[in-house]
Amino acid sequence: FFKQKTAYEIASCLVGSEMCIRDRPLLQNFLLLTTVLGLQVKSLLLMVVDQNFLKVKRTLVTIFLFTLFINYSFADNLKFKKIVNLKGPWGSTFINDTELLITEKSGEIKLIDLNTKKISSLNHNLNYLEHGQGGLLDILYKDDFVYVSYTENRGNWKTSTSIAKSKFNEKDLIFKNIFQANPPIDSGYHFGSRLAIKDGYLFASAGERGQGMIAQDPTKHPGSIIRINIDGSIPKDNPKFQGKSDWLPEIYQIGIRNPQGLTLSPFDEKIYMSNHGARGGDWFGEAKKGENYGWKILGWGGTNYSGIPIGPKWKPGFTKAIQYWVPSIATSAITIYKGKEFSEWNGHALITSLKDKSLRKLIFDDLSNVKEEIIFKNKIGRIRDIQVHPDNGKVYFLGEDALWLMEKI
């Protein structure tokens, strides 16, 4: 509630709808709810009339007790356990019920045994460059093959979001590139990137590298959703072959800024994604063939970091996201939950966040009435990735420096 309201709206609610704060000359300043049991709320300086102080005090006590109950109701049902320590982990994927493959941005690929907590480093031949936000990014295991998205060193500090594929073994991974986002760019920003496989197609998100309007240029890969076959070849029904003749053949959708979440729903078989806005304008939405999310014509409700407006939140002719966040929460990895541990969440989207350090749940079966719930906040720090255990449905997270398990108490 507080995250979505202005200070004036909250003050009006607290004092009472019969009162107009702006018309009262006698005002008293006080500070409201800087932190309530881990649910951090931005400090709000509210102006309240002297004669309404007792009324406000009673209201604040009620709100405090309500927030206390809500926060504890989540915390009492969840248990967090650190599995192993890591260094800058970025992507993760189950290869069976007991083992996870994990990338670290600095260049390591590690195999983790969840039972013994043994960590094995795997050799690989990726020509990566750790630069700014770049390095080793997402990793995906499917049918005895491993796919990795990474920042490829293209020479002279130019890099690209690239994808490589290797046969899996527990010692050496010999990768071969199956995609490069062109042109290579000298920038350490906005690589994306997540991977998802559906029906033999590999979907990938490629960030716009901080170049803004490049996301509107379909003759360049940055700022788009990519769809290729799992062998790297081009699907014959991609947009280029269905009325978008000027598009590069790998491009599925354009107008994206920095998409760090991508997942296949096991319920409706659609591809969903999350995207970082600038100063505001994060969103969760569906990947739609041949469409345009609008960056940097649209600002999705946010502004440039300088405060200068970008463009409207949405307008006809562009893909409309399912949920927006203004201010930004720094949306990261996502998943559509399916499992036993939290069976009441089946079909709901789980959204992780970096800046906000939260896990949020979206019920989005009715797009006209999307319901959002904060599951937890400030429990494990910044959250980079999320995976659901393929058997028991417990949830695993990559934090800044560790692999975490979340389960019911």
Side-chain angles (χ1 to χ4, degrees):
F1 173 84
F2 289 106
K3 297 290 284 185
Q4 297 171 352
K5 300 294 182 182
T6 66
Y8 178 80
E9 290 171 327
I10 295 171
S12 299
C13 178
L14 288 172
V15 176
S17 59
E18 77 279 6
M19 173 186 175
C20 179
I21 292 174
R22 292 171 295 182
D23 295 338
R24 292 293 195 251
L26 299 176
L27 302 174
Q28 176 179 343
N29 294 328
F30 67 92
L31 201 61
L32 170 66
L33 294 178
T34 53
T35 303
V36 180
L37 300 174
L39 180 64
Q40 292 186 342
V41 181
K42 286 188 174 180
S43 297
L44 299 173
L45 192 63
L46 303 183
M47 298 177 296
V48 181
V49 177
D50 287 338
Q51 58 264 39
N52 284 275
F53 182 75
L54 291 177
K55 182 178 179 180
V56 174
K57 184 177 180 180
R58 288 194 298 270
T59 306
L60 285 175
V61 170
T62 301
I63 292 172
F64 178 84
L65 292 174
F66 176 76
T67 308
L68 174 69
F69 171 77
I70 292 297
N71 202 46
Y72 268 129
S73 68
F74 293 149
D76 283 350
N77 290 328
L78 300 176
K79 180 171 66 174
F80 297 88
K81 181 181 179 182
K82 182 185 285 190
I83 305 300
V84 293
N85 290 315
L86 297 164
K87 181 182 177 183
W90 215 99
S92 57
T93 183
F94 277 96
I95 63 171
N96 53 48
D97 289 352
T98 62
E99 293 179 301
L100 271 168
L101 278 174
I102 288 178
T103 56
E104 293 180 335
K105 190 167 78 74
S106 59
E108 292 286 331
I109 298 178
K110 294 182 175 180
L111 180 64
I112 298 176
D113 188 307
L114 298 177
N115 292 333
T116 66
K117 297 182 176 55
K118 179 184 176 182
I119 302 176
S120 304
S121 292
L122 307 186
N123 298 317
H124 66 80
N125 61 332
L126 291 170
N127 180 31
Y128 71 95
L129 179 66
E130 185 185 14
H131 177 44
Q133 297 171 353
L136 296 195
L137 303 173
D138 204 18
I139 189 165
L140 177 63
Y141 174 87
K142 180 75 171 178
D143 297 333
D144 211 31
F145 283 92
V146 179
Y147 304 81
V148 169
S149 63
Y150 70 106
T151 302
E152 184 178 5
N153 185 355
R154 305 284 292 273
N156 297 318
W157 290 99
K158 291 186 176 182
T159 54
S160 61
T161 300
S162 298
I163 302 170
K165 177 181 180 180
S166 170
K167 184 78 172 178
F168 174 73
N169 71 70
E170 296 187 357
K171 291 185 178 180
D172 300 291
L173 297 175
I174 309 301
F175 285 102
K176 180 181 179 181
N177 265 5
I178 57 174
F179 173 77
Q180 291 177 318
N182 287 308
I185 295 171
D186 182 0
S187 167
Y189 296 106
H190 302 177
F191 296 91
S193 162
R194 293 288 173 189
L195 305 173
I197 290 178
K198 174 189 175 181
D199 299 333
Y201 300 120
L202 177 65
F203 290 78
S205 58
E208 42 79 285
R209 308 299 306 281
Q211 304 300 300
M213 286 300 291
I214 197 173
Q216 291 299 314
D217 184 351
T219 68
K220 298 179 175 65
H221 292 118
S224 67
I225 298 299
I226 302 301
R227 184 178 76 155
I228 57 177
N229 295 315
I230 57 173
D231 64 358
S233 61
I234 309 298
K236 298 304 181 184
D237 61 345
N238 267 5
K240 180 176 179 64
F241 311 110
Q242 296 188 340
K244 304 283 187 181
S245 59
D246 59 331
W247 286 31
L248 288 176
E250 300 91 349
I251 292 180
Y252 188 78
Q253 187 171 17
I254 65 171
I256 318 294
R257 183 176 181 266
N258 190 20
Q260 292 189 345
L262 192 73
T263 193
L264 170 66
S265 169
F267 293 91
D268 61 16
E269 294 296 311
K270 294 179 180 179
I271 299 290
Y272 293 96
M273 61 197 226
S274 67
N275 178 77
H276 289 278
R279 191 176 179 184
D282 296 355
W283 52 258
F284 164 80
E286 182 187 343
K288 293 189 174 183
K289 182 178 178 180
E291 294 194 14
N292 182 353
Y293 263 107
W295 183 256
K296 192 178 183 182
I297 297 169
L298 303 182
W300 305 315
T303 66
N304 287 297
Y305 291 110
S306 64
I308 298 173
I310 298 171
K313 186 172 185 177
W314 175 81
K315 65 180 183 179
F318 295 95
T319 311
K320 190 173 186 179
I322 293 169
Q323 183 80 337
Y324 296 91
W325 288 274
V326 180
S328 293
I329 61 171
T331 51
S332 187
I334 62 172
T335 192
I336 309 300
Y337 184 86
K338 182 180 181 181
K340 301 174 186 176
E341 183 78 356
F342 302 96
S343 57
E344 65 275 19
W345 295 355
N346 280 330
H348 300 172
L350 299 182
I351 314 293
T352 66
S353 120
L354 297 164
K355 176 183 175 183
D356 198 55
K357 303 176 184 178
S358 66
L359 175 68
R360 293 161 183 256
K361 182 169 71 70
L362 298 180
I363 303 175
F364 63 102
D365 50 342
D366 179 1
L367 296 183
S368 66
N369 184 29
V370 177
K371 298 176 182 177
E372 179 177 0
E373 186 176 0
I374 297 177
I375 303 301
F376 70 81
K377 199 172 184 181
N378 294 315
K379 294 291 185 183
I380 60 174
R382 290 162 60 88
I383 307 172
R384 177 59 70 182
D385 198 16
I386 181 171
Q387 295 293 333
V388 177
H389 191 279
D391 179 53
N392 59 40
K394 295 179 180 182
V395 180
Y396 289 79
F397 301 100
L398 292 183
E400 289 182 277
D401 59 1
L403 172 67
W404 292 85
L405 166 66
M406 182 182 77
E407 58 189 340
K408 287 184 176 179
I409 293 177

